[in-house]
Amino acid sequence: KQEVTQIPAALSVPEGENLVLNCSFTDSAIYNLQWFRQDPGKGLTSLLLIQSSQREQTSGRLNASLDKSSGRSTLYIAASQPGDSATYLCAVFNAGNMLTFGGGTRLMVKP
Amino acid sequence: SQTIHQWPATLVQPVGSPLSLECTVEGTSNPNLYWYRQAAGRGLQLLFYSVGIGQISSEVPQNLSASRPQDRQFILSSKKLLLSDSGFYLCAWSASIEQFFGPGTRLTVL
């Protein structure tokens, strides 16, 4: 059974810092991986989708990488802003296009 | 563009009462539809998914059921709610790979 772990569980940084969020998964036979953002009491916003054949995806200040062989993905946020404060979730797809989620990293960016 | 709606946004129900949560998607045809639950202190768990009208698959045994009466409508139901059914319920859709989530329904069972 696939297990997805996100470290750290919580992170507090000053505004302007570059930061890395980590996601690891136990079964490397994944198809794709998706990163989400969740604001308190809200639904999930899709940030980046990395397909199995890709190694990274970029959107603005966000860059996500995928290393299937080591069972890891990272989400890099450049020049963090207070508006980036949220919980970040990674999720891996299985063969049936079902998602297994990690527990999330709660990010606080202080002005 | 595609839009996903969920209602109600919040719901407080007594134990033993019935439940009906609705999810609708606009701007796409024949989407895959999903129900997830996010319980306090726990991660997101897939409850049901559907690849077409009347086709429902359940991921975990539970007190809930799902139905898809129309192409872009997905309903989550229960005949008798339990305290453990409390949580944040999220509906999602996908056309191919990427999944897109609705705003969620906060359910509190007292």
Side-chain angles (χ1 to χ4, degrees):
Chain A
K1 179 184 174 184
Q2 179 75 268
E3 292 183 3
V4 182
T5 303
Q6 291 187 246
I7 295 173
L11 181 63
S12 181
V13 300
E15 182 177 4
E17 270 202 11
N18 302 323
L19 56 101
V20 175
L21 307 181
N22 297 293
C23 172
S24 61
F25 42 93
T26 54
D27 185 352
S28 62
I30 68 168
Y31 284 69
N32 308 291
L33 185 145
Q34 193 168 353
W35 280 93
F36 297 88
R37 167 187 174 137
Q38 185 176 30
D39 292 288
K42 305 294 185 182
L44 276 62
T45 300
S46 178
L47 296 175
L48 291 164
L49 170 72
I50 309 178
Q51 297 190 44
S52 153
S53 58
Q54 299 172 324
R55 293 190 63 85
E56 65 177 330
Q57 280 286 340
T58 298
S59 176
R61 294 182 293 108
L62 305 179
N63 176 276
S65 66
L66 174 62
D67 184 345
K68 289 178 62 177
S69 61
S70 67
R72 294 182 181 180
S73 176
T74 60
L75 179 66
Y76 175 81
I77 303 177
S80 59
Q81 304 171 357
D84 294 331
S85 298
T87 295
Y88 291 81
L89 296 157
C90 78
V92 300
F93 289 82
N94 64 15
N97 211 37
M98 301 299 116
L99 282 173
T100 300
F101 281 85
T105 294
R106 192 169 61 254
L107 173 65
M108 172 77 72
V109 181
K110 298 181 178 180
Chain B
S1 64
Q2 299 83 11
T3 309
I4 180 168
H5 303 279
Q6 286 187 246
W7 66 90
T10 60
L11 192 59
V12 180
Q13 292 286 94
V15 169
S17 63
L19 173 73
S20 181
L21 303 181
E22 189 163 345
C23 169
T24 59
V25 181
E26 297 177 355
T28 186
S29 296
N30 196 32
N32 295 327
L33 296 173
Y34 310 85
W35 277 112
Y36 292 85
R37 177 170 60 201
Q38 191 173 36
R42 302 181 64 179
L44 270 153
Q45 180 183 37
L46 177 65
L47 302 176
F48 300 96
Y49 65 95
S50 171
V51 298
I53 297 174
Q55 300 179 63
I56 309 294
S57 296
S58 174
E59 285 295 295
V60 293
Q62 57 200 309
N63 184 42
L64 303 168
S65 62
S67 62
R68 184 171 177 174
Q70 300 181 40
D71 181 44
R72 291 170 289 176
Q73 183 185 30
F74 206 21
I75 297 173
L76 184 69
S77 303
S78 174
K79 293 181 179 179
K80 290 184 177 182
L81 284 168
L82 306 172
L83 285 173
S84 58
D85 291 324
S86 292
F88 192 46
Y89 288 82
L90 290 157
C91 180
W93 73 274
S94 70
S96 55
I97 301 172
E98 194 170 3
Q99 291 191 18
F100 301 94
F101 283 72
T105 294
R106 173 75 59 190
L107 172 66
T108 303
V109 182
L110 301 175

